[in-house]
Amino acid sequence: MRQIVTEGTANASLTTKQRIKSIFAASSGNLVEWYDFYIYAFAAGYFIHDFSGSTNPTVALIEAFAIFALGFLMRPIGSWIFGFVGDRIGRKKSMIYSIVLMAVSSIIIAIVPTKSVIGDWAMIILLIARLLQGISVGGEYGVAATYMSETATSGKRAFYSSFQYVTLIGGQFVAVLTVVILELIFRDETIRAWAWRLLFAFGGILALLSLLIRTGMHESGTKETFEHKSSGSLKAVFIDWRFLLICFIIAGAGSLGFYTYTIYTKTFLIDSVHMSETLSNRIMLIALFCLMLSQPLFGMLIDKIGRRVSLFIFTVASIVCTWPMYYLLQNIGGNIYGTFFILIWMYIILSFYASMAGVIKAELFPSHIRSLGTGLGHALGNVIFGGTASIIALEFKHIHMQSGFYVYFIIIFVILLITAFFFPKKTYLD
């Protein structure tokens, strides 16, 4: 295993005001990227019937989440493309390019005709747009995690890096909020007919506007980083595959927990608890808002207790609590207060991962391959475990073995628990 040497960054001389400005600039685009990616999951129930050939609602949802999962398949490609750009040319340029791609793909979804107009081409175009979004988000995560961890000061890395998930969760929050606003303005049949398109058009416009903010970012990479003979090299990432494997397992289990608690739970409330789509959206909206605001607080806590300790807390709590939480959700009869309490319980557990998720992966790699290594490890974990969480859960439900998903969930987290013991005590950013 390569010897770990602490490295400096180009942001070492920045003032606190300049750091905050740079974090805000990176975060604004990050929020838009994740809004555009998540709005599909939250709005799929309204439009998938116009693209799917199935009349069975559960099967149609499975098709919708299959496309959602396929978007994840493009993340490793996106992480490679934009990670290379981030390590070879600049973190700032890479993040600008990724958000332009997200804007284009979102607008495509907003204007694509339905199956009744162009037949099977509707589903094909929808799939292509989702694949482009997957490339964009795959590139965004690793570079943004790298940028925020490099911009942060020693002793406050979890706090600064927590803003990546403030905006990532904020993207979910804004996605749910816009759906709720749409439900207040339009009737259900109007949303299903055409108004859902406004959600994607809004995201595309926001993506273009965020370009203006990102032009004011500082560059966090150094001249030495970009001129290193192995900058952005896949071969260099795989030289010490153990760090990539640790990143992959942390990202895989973390993504499984994240997407289970935030994406699948909404589907679970509708499909298994039989809560109305409108009510589930509003409960999720409030819960996501609490999750979003709590990230900096957990980031400060993690800076005190240490990232390894936080990883153990997240892992053990997920193993012990996940199955009971979903059992309670299904058996409290859709009680609003009980449902909200359980969601907050989930999100407290999740916060021990989410508020440090970017930095705990980025610190495993030297600066000349940090964007690529972080992005690739995270993207591969997302493809296998994050993007498939909802569809695996729905498949288990479809064959009347819903508890099978919880067993699968626990097994993955036991693997994470074992991996946590091998996380290095000293990293490149310590």
Side-chain angles (χ1 to χ4, degrees), residues 67-117:
I67 293 177
F68 186 73
L70 286 172
F72 279 75
L73 289 176
M74 303 306 290
R75 288 192 177 194
I77 297 175
S79 69
W80 172 60
I81 295 171
F82 292 104
F84 173 83
V85 173
D87 288 332
R88 183 64 66 88
I89 301 174
R91 325 299 199 203
K92 175 181 174 180
K93 287 183 179 180
S94 181
M95 286 191 280
I96 288 176
Y97 298 156
S98 71
I99 205 164
V100 170
L101 181 59
M102 180 60 77
V104 171
S105 54
S106 294
I107 291 172
I108 289 174
I109 296 178
I111 64 175
V112 61
T114 63
K115 185 180 178 69
S116 62
V117 178

Side-chain angles (χ1 to χ4, degrees), residues 152-333:
T153 54
S154 179
K156 294 183 179 179
R157 295 200 189 279
F159 171 71
Y160 277 97
S161 295
S162 70
F163 286 94
Q164 181 176 14
Y165 269 74
V166 168
T167 51
L168 192 155
I169 297 163
Q172 289 194 50
F173 173 76
V174 175
V176 177
L177 178 61
T178 52
V179 171
V180 169
I181 292 173
L182 208 67
E183 290 171 345
L184 292 174
I185 297 174
F186 299 102
R187 294 181 178 180
D188 185 79
E189 57 268 24
T190 304
I191 298 175
R192 294 180 185 277
W194 64 269
W196 61 267
R197 296 179 183 276
L198 299 175
L199 301 171
F200 293 95
F202 176 66
I205 294 170
L206 283 181
L208 294 175
L209 292 175
S210 72
L211 286 175
L212 298 176
I213 301 175
R214 280 195 164 180
T215 55
M217 293 166 57
H218 291 83
E219 176 56 61
S220 68
T222 64
K223 181 180 179 181
E224 291 76 14
T225 294
F226 305 138
E227 293 181 352
H228 194 284
K229 63 181 181 179
S230 298
S231 289
S233 167
L234 271 176
K235 181 180 179 180
V237 172
F238 282 100
I239 284 177
D240 197 332
W241 54 267
R242 285 165 289 190
F243 286 137
L244 183 63
L245 179 61
I246 291 172
C247 180
F248 164 74
I249 293 173
I250 291 173
S255 297
L256 175 61
F258 188 85
Y259 287 101
T260 298
Y261 292 161
T262 63
I263 298 294
Y264 172 66
T265 297
K266 178 181 178 294
T267 303
F268 182 85
L269 291 176
I270 298 169
D271 213 33
S272 297
V273 181
H274 305 298
M275 185 177 288
S276 72
E277 192 152 2
T278 299
L279 181 58
S280 68
N281 279 338
R282 293 177 184 179
I283 292 176
M284 289 293 294
L285 180 68
I286 299 172
L288 284 172
F289 184 71
C290 295
L291 176 63
M292 177 178 67
L293 293 184
S294 68
Q295 294 314 291
L297 299 177
F298 277 92
M300 288 189 288
L301 173 62
I302 292 168
D303 282 326
K304 299 291 184 182
I305 66 175
R307 294 188 281 276
R308 273 180 103 240
V309 173
S310 183
L311 185 61
F312 277 110
I313 293 173
F314 168 65
T315 305
V316 173
S318 297
I319 291 170
V320 172
C321 299
T322 298
W323 196 336
M325 288 188 296
Y326 280 95
Y327 175 83
L328 289 173
L329 270 181
Q330 193 163 12
N331 287 276
I332 60 175

